Amino acid sequence: MATTATPAGGSRNGTGPEWGGFEENIQMWQAGKRQASRAFSLYANIDILRPYFDVEPAQVRSRLLESMIPIKMVNFPQKIAGELYGPLMLVFTLVAILLHGMKTSDTIIREGTLMGTAIGTCFGYWLGVSSFIYFLAYLCNAQITMLQMLALLGYGLFGHCIVLLITYNIHLHALFYLFWLLVGGLSTLRMVAVLVSRTVGPTQRLLLCGTLAALHMLFLLYLHFAYHKVVEGILDTLEGPNIPPMQRVPRDIPAILPAVRLPATVLNTTVKAVEVTLRSH
Amino acid sequence: FAGLSDISISQDIPVEGEITIPMRSRIREFDSSTLNESVQNTIMRDLKAVGKKFMHVLYPRKSNTLLRDWDLWGPLVLCVTLALMLQRGSADSENDGGPQFAEVFVIIWFGAVTITLNSKLLGGNISFFQSLCVLGYCILPLTVALLVCRLVLLAKPGPINFIVRLFVVIMMFAWSIVASTAFLADSQPPNRKALAVYPVFLFYFVISWMILTFTP
């Protein structure tokens, strides 16, 4: 059964003139494999990223909860966990929630696709704003590395995920503004407190934290309004002369309600009825 | 140990031989016997391998077949089927927001690559293509869900229609996750299984969402 490499040349000449012997094929294959693995290990060395994914589920859970709790310790640099698993998963979750919101509101994207827009928006925000704030931090002499900034902003998106998940399903202005201030505000405060603890000087602190707070809160506002059908009602109120502000303008409701919106519509009507009842008291 | 004292080897039993290294069997694959066989034999062999893997996905058991002999034929076929059926008619350019062929294709393959990279970075000992193979094959229940949804959509639209489709998609989504977890979870360190399974959950959630919200 175990044979040494049988002299292939002798007995296999019948396979064709251009086909080399058995051993030559093996050598060619092994040489090619060696070259490919060398190129692969040179260019696709994912081991650089391995230490940033070294987390336990309990750690991720506690970091998610801590991202909503601002800590008021400004005299000593607060610790930031330098990992990329949590932020990356949060960005992907935000993409999924955004897709859900765009689908249920029948957003029409003219040039591009829903999926491309969602991925571009979320990753663009995470990477772009992190880089920008890191650049500002460099100008303001703040003690923060790029990895820490990415992790901080990534975990700050947890609040955004919660708010959008709730308000894409319950379309109510007051509820969204409440969550925007509360949940968005808490996660922004947490990031601001961390940055303040790592920056010296009132002007620098104001510049850095003001920019981050503004961008973070405005992003949540943008995500809610840009990919949501409420925007049509608001545009109508801005153009109509006699309609008081912040009042929903009734739009044409199609004769046949698409089945996808049925549960959302039922929920809406119930919540609106409750709100009217509460207001009348 | 008394009985061992009188063990002796008689002179006529040879105590020599060849040591076989298991690697040798791989070199056997380059035997010209698989090159000389007819095309029908090759195709039938590959089809049988693909079919066996489909069976493993439909009845997920802890077995190594999917992992050991990976192939990407099944995932390719499933991905192309899904992408073709999720395509909207190109007549209405107004509703360009629906997934087109390239979009679904790219989502599936880049999603699978991302999950594989993530599970490797978390310390899993599964190879790149093995993971792609498992994730691709476990799309089979969702493809079945899409076929069922297309059939259900031929009936009268209404809330019952939607609830039936929702139920079917949820069942198949759970089936996909269970099937892929049965194969992938063993390759992760035991305390990090949840970290590796969550992106799989997101991936199949996005595909299920595309299937559920599809209207022809």
Side-chain angles (χ1 to χ4, degrees), chain B residues 55-79:
Chain B
M55 283 296 122
H56 272 278
V57 171
L58 288 179
Y59 303 107
R61 274 185 307 268
K62 279 210 188 319
S63 98
N64 279 337
T65 314
L66 261 187
L67 289 182
R68 207 178 39 225
D69 306 316
W70 59 266
D71 75 81
L72 292 177
W73 284 115
L76 182 67
V77 164
L78 288 172
C79 179

CSV table of all heavy atoms in Angstrom, one decimal, chain B residues 55-79:
chain,number,residue,atom,x,y,z
B,55,MET,N,-28.0,17.9,2.7
B,55,MET,CA,-28.7,17.1,3.7
B,55,MET,C,-28.2,17.4,5.1
B,55,MET,O,-29.0,17.4,6.1
B,55,MET,CB,-28.5,15.6,3.4
B,55,MET,CG,-29.3,15.1,2.3
B,55,MET,SD,-31.0,15.2,2.7
B,55,MET,CE,-31.6,16.2,1.4
B,56,HIS,N,-26.9,17.6,5.2
B,56,HIS,CA,-26.4,18.0,6.6
B,56,HIS,C,-26.9,19.3,7.1
B,56,HIS,O,-27.1,19.4,8.3
B,56,HIS,CB,-24.8,18.0,6.5
B,56,HIS,CG,-24.2,16.7,6.7
B,56,HIS,ND1,-24.0,16.2,8.0
B,56,HIS,CD2,-23.7,15.8,5.9
B,56,HIS,CE1,-23.4,15.0,7.9
B,56,HIS,NE2,-23.2,14.7,6.6
B,57,VAL,N,-27.2,20.2,6.2
B,57,VAL,CA,-27.7,21.5,6.6
B,57,VAL,C,-29.2,21.3,7.1
B,57,VAL,O,-29.6,21.9,8.1
B,57,VAL,CB,-27.6,22.6,5.5
B,57,VAL,CG1,-28.4,23.8,5.9
B,57,VAL,CG2,-26.2,22.9,5.3
B,58,LEU,N,-29.9,20.5,6.3
B,58,LEU,CA,-31.3,20.3,6.6
B,58,LEU,C,-31.5,19.6,7.9
B,58,LEU,O,-32.4,19.8,8.6
B,58,LEU,CB,-32.0,19.6,5.5
B,58,LEU,CG,-32.2,20.5,4.2
B,58,LEU,CD1,-32.9,19.7,3.1
B,58,LEU,CD2,-33.0,21.7,4.5
B,59,TYR,N,-30.6,18.6,8.2
B,59,TYR,CA,-30.7,17.9,9.5
B,59,TYR,C,-29.4,18.1,10.2
B,59,TYR,O,-28.5,17.3,10.1
B,59,TYR,CB,-31.0,16.4,9.2
B,59,TYR,CG,-32.2,16.1,8.4
B,59,TYR,CD1,-32.1,15.7,7.1
B,59,TYR,CD2,-33.4,16.3,8.9
B,59,TYR,CE1,-33.2,15.5,6.3
B,59,TYR,CE2,-34.6,16.1,8.2
B,59,TYR,CZ,-34.4,15.7,6.9
B,59,TYR,OH,-35.5,15.5,6.1
B,60,PRO,N,-29.3,19.3,10.9
B,60,PRO,CA,-28.0,19.6,11.5
B,60,PRO,C,-27.6,18.6,12.6
B,60,PRO,O,-28.3,18.5,13.6
B,60,PRO,CB,-28.1,21.0,12.0
B,60,PRO,CG,-29.5,21.4,11.9
B,60,PRO,CD,-30.3,20.3,11.1
B,61,ARG,N,-26.5,17.9,12.4
B,61,ARG,CA,-26.0,17.1,13.4
B,61,ARG,C,-24.5,17.5,13.5
B,61,ARG,O,-23.9,18.1,12.6
B,61,ARG,CB,-26.0,15.6,12.9
B,61,ARG,CG,-27.2,14.9,13.2
B,61,ARG,CD,-27.0,13.4,12.8
B,61,ARG,NE,-26.5,13.4,11.4
B,61,ARG,CZ,-27.3,13.2,10.3
B,61,ARG,NH1,-28.6,13.1,10.5
B,61,ARG,NH2,-26.7,13.1,9.1
B,62,LYS,N,-24.0,17.2,14.6
B,62,LYS,CA,-22.6,17.5,14.8
B,62,LYS,C,-21.7,16.6,14.0
B,62,LYS,O,-21.4,15.5,14.4
B,62,LYS,CB,-22.2,17.4,16.3
B,62,LYS,CG,-22.6,18.6,17.1
B,62,LYS,CD,-21.6,18.8,18.2
B,62,LYS,CE,-22.1,19.9,19.2
B,62,LYS,NZ,-22.7,21.0,18.5
B,63,SER,N,-21.4,17.0,12.8
B,63,SER,CA,-20.5,16.1,12.0
B,63,SER,C,-19.5,17.0,11.3
B,63,SER,O,-19.6,18.2,11.2
B,63,SER,CB,-21.3,15.3,11.0
B,63,SER,OG,-21.2,16.0,9.8
B,64,ASN,N,-18.4,16.3,10.9
B,64,ASN,CA,-17.3,17.1,10.3
B,64,ASN,C,-17.3,17.2,8.8
B,64,ASN,O,-16.4,17.7,8.2
B,64,ASN,CB,-16.0,16.5,10.8
B,64,ASN,CG,-15.6,17.0,12.1
B,64,ASN,OD1,-16.1,18.0,12.6
B,64,ASN,ND2,-14.8,16.2,12.8
B,65,THR,N,-18.4,16.6,8.2
B,65,THR,CA,-18.3,16.5,6.7
B,65,THR,C,-18.2,17.9,6.1
B,65,THR,O,-17.5,18.1,5.1
B,65,THR,CB,-19.6,15.8,6.2
B,65,THR,OG1,-19.8,14.7,7.0
B,65,THR,CG2,-19.4,15.4,4.7
B,66,LEU,N,-19.1,18.8,6.6
B,66,LEU,CA,-19.1,20.1,6.0
B,66,LEU,C,-17.7,20.8,6.1
B,66,LEU,O,-17.2,21.5,5.2
B,66,LEU,CB,-20.1,21.0,6.6
B,66,LEU,CG,-21.4,21.2,5.9
B,66,LEU,CD1,-22.2,22.3,6.7
B,66,LEU,CD2,-21.2,21.7,4.5
B,67,LEU,N,-17.1,20.5,7.2
B,67,LEU,CA,-15.8,21.2,7.5
B,67,LEU,C,-14.6,20.6,6.7
B,67,LEU,O,-13.8,21.2,6.2
B,67,LEU,CB,-15.5,21.2,9.0
B,67,LEU,CG,-16.4,22.2,9.8
B,67,LEU,CD1,-16.0,22.1,11.2
B,67,LEU,CD2,-16.3,23.6,9.3
B,68,ARG,N,-14.7,19.2,6.7
B,68,ARG,CA,-13.5,18.5,6.2
B,68,ARG,C,-13.3,18.7,4.7
B,68,ARG,O,-12.3,19.1,4.2
B,68,ARG,CB,-13.6,17.1,6.5
B,68,ARG,CG,-12.2,16.4,6.7
B,68,ARG,CD,-12.4,14.9,7.1
B,68,ARG,NE,-13.5,14.4,6.3
B,68,ARG,CZ,-14.4,13.6,6.9
B,68,ARG,NH1,-14.3,13.3,8.2
B,68,ARG,NH2,-15.4,13.1,6.2
B,69,ASP,N,-14.4,18.5,4.0
B,69,ASP,CA,-14.2,18.6,2.5
B,69,ASP,C,-15.1,19.8,2.1
B,69,ASP,O,-16.2,19.7,1.7
B,69,ASP,CB,-14.8,17.4,1.8
B,69,ASP,CG,-14.1,16.1,2.3
B,69,ASP,OD1,-12.9,16.2,2.5
B,69,ASP,OD2,-14.8,15.1,2.6
B,70,TRP,N,-14.5,21.0,2.2
B,70,TRP,CA,-15.3,22.1,1.9
B,70,TRP,C,-15.3,22.3,0.4
B,70,TRP,O,-14.4,21.9,-0.3
B,70,TRP,CB,-14.7,23.4,2.5
B,70,TRP,CG,-13.3,23.7,2.1
B,70,TRP,CD1,-12.1,23.3,2.8
B,70,TRP,CD2,-12.8,24.4,1.0
B,70,TRP,NE1,-11.0,23.7,2.1
B,70,TRP,CE2,-11.4,24.4,1.0
B,70,TRP,CE3,-13.5,25.0,-0.1
B,70,TRP,CZ2,-10.7,25.0,0.1
B,70,TRP,CZ3,-12.7,25.6,-1.0
B,70,TRP,CH2,-11.3,25.6,-1.0
B,71,ASP,N,-16.4,22.9,-0.1
B,71,ASP,CA,-16.5,23.3,-1.5
B,71,ASP,C,-17.4,24.5,-1.5
B,71,ASP,O,-18.2,24.7,-0.7
B,71,ASP,CB,-16.9,22.2,-2.4
B,71,ASP,CG,-18.4,21.9,-2.3
B,71,ASP,OD1,-19.2,22.7,-2.9
B,71,ASP,OD2,-18.8,21.0,-1.6
B,72,LEU,N,-17.2,25.3,-2.6
B,72,LEU,CA,-18.0,26.5,-2.7
B,72,LEU,C,-19.1,26.4,-3.7
B,72,LEU,O,-19.7,27.4,-4.1
B,72,LEU,CB,-17.1,27.7,-2.9
B,72,LEU,CG,-16.2,28.0,-1.7
B,72,LEU,CD1,-15.3,29.2,-2.0
B,72,LEU,CD2,-17.0,28.4,-0.5
B,73,TRP,N,-19.3,25.2,-4.3
B,73,TRP,CA,-20.4,25.1,-5.3
B,73,TRP,C,-21.7,25.4,-4.8
B,73,TRP,O,-22.5,26.2,-5.4
B,73,TRP,CB,-20.4,23.7,-5.9
B,73,TRP,CG,-19.3,23.4,-6.8
B,73,TRP,CD1,-18.3,22.5,-6.7
B,73,TRP,CD2,-19.0,24.1,-8.1
B,73,TRP,NE1,-17.4,22.5,-7.8
B,73,TRP,CE2,-17.9,23.5,-8.7
B,73,TRP,CE3,-19.7,25.0,-8.8
B,73,TRP,CZ2,-17.4,23.8,-9.9
B,73,TRP,CZ3,-19.2,25.4,-10.1
B,73,TRP,CH2,-18.0,24.8,-10.6
B,74,GLY,N,-22.0,24.8,-3.6
B,74,GLY,CA,-23.4,25.0,-3.0
B,74,GLY,C,-23.6,26.4,-2.7
B,74,GLY,O,-24.7,27.0,-3.1
B,75,PRO,N,-22.7,27.1,-2.0
B,75,PRO,CA,-22.9,28.5,-1.7
B,75,PRO,C,-23.1,29.3,-3.0
B,75,PRO,O,-24.0,30.2,-3.0
B,75,PRO,CB,-21.7,28.9,-1.0
B,75,PRO,CG,-21.2,27.7,-0.3
B,75,PRO,CD,-21.6,26.6,-1.2
B,76,LEU,N,-22.4,29.0,-4.0
B,76,LEU,CA,-22.5,29.8,-5.2
B,76,LEU,C,-23.9,29.7,-5.8
B,76,LEU,O,-24.6,30.6,-6.2
B,76,LEU,CB,-21.5,29.4,-6.3
B,76,LEU,CG,-21.5,30.2,-7.6
B,76,LEU,CD1,-21.1,31.6,-7.3
B,76,LEU,CD2,-20.6,29.5,-8.6
B,77,VAL,N,-24.4,28.4,-5.9
B,77,VAL,CA,-25.7,28.1,-6.5
B,77,VAL,C,-26.8,28.8,-5.6
B,77,VAL,O,-27.7,29.5,-6.2
B,77,VAL,CB,-25.9,26.6,-6.5
B,77,VAL,CG1,-27.4,26.3,-6.7
B,77,VAL,CG2,-25.1,26.0,-7.6
B,78,LEU,N,-26.7,28.7,-4.3
B,78,LEU,CA,-27.7,29.3,-3.4
B,78,LEU,C,-27.7,30.8,-3.6
B,78,LEU,O,-28.7,31.5,-3.6
B,78,LEU,CB,-27.4,28.9,-2.0
B,78,LEU,CG,-27.7,27.5,-1.6
B,78,LEU,CD1,-27.2,27.2,-0.3
B,78,LEU,CD2,-29.2,27.2,-1.8
B,79,CYS,N,-26.5,31.4,-3.6
B,79,CYS,CA,-26.3,32.9,-3.7
B,79,CYS,C,-26.9,33.4,-5.0
B,79,CYS,O,-27.7,34.4,-5.0
B,79,CYS,CB,-24.9,33.2,-3.6
B,79,CYS,SG,-24.5,34.9,-3.6
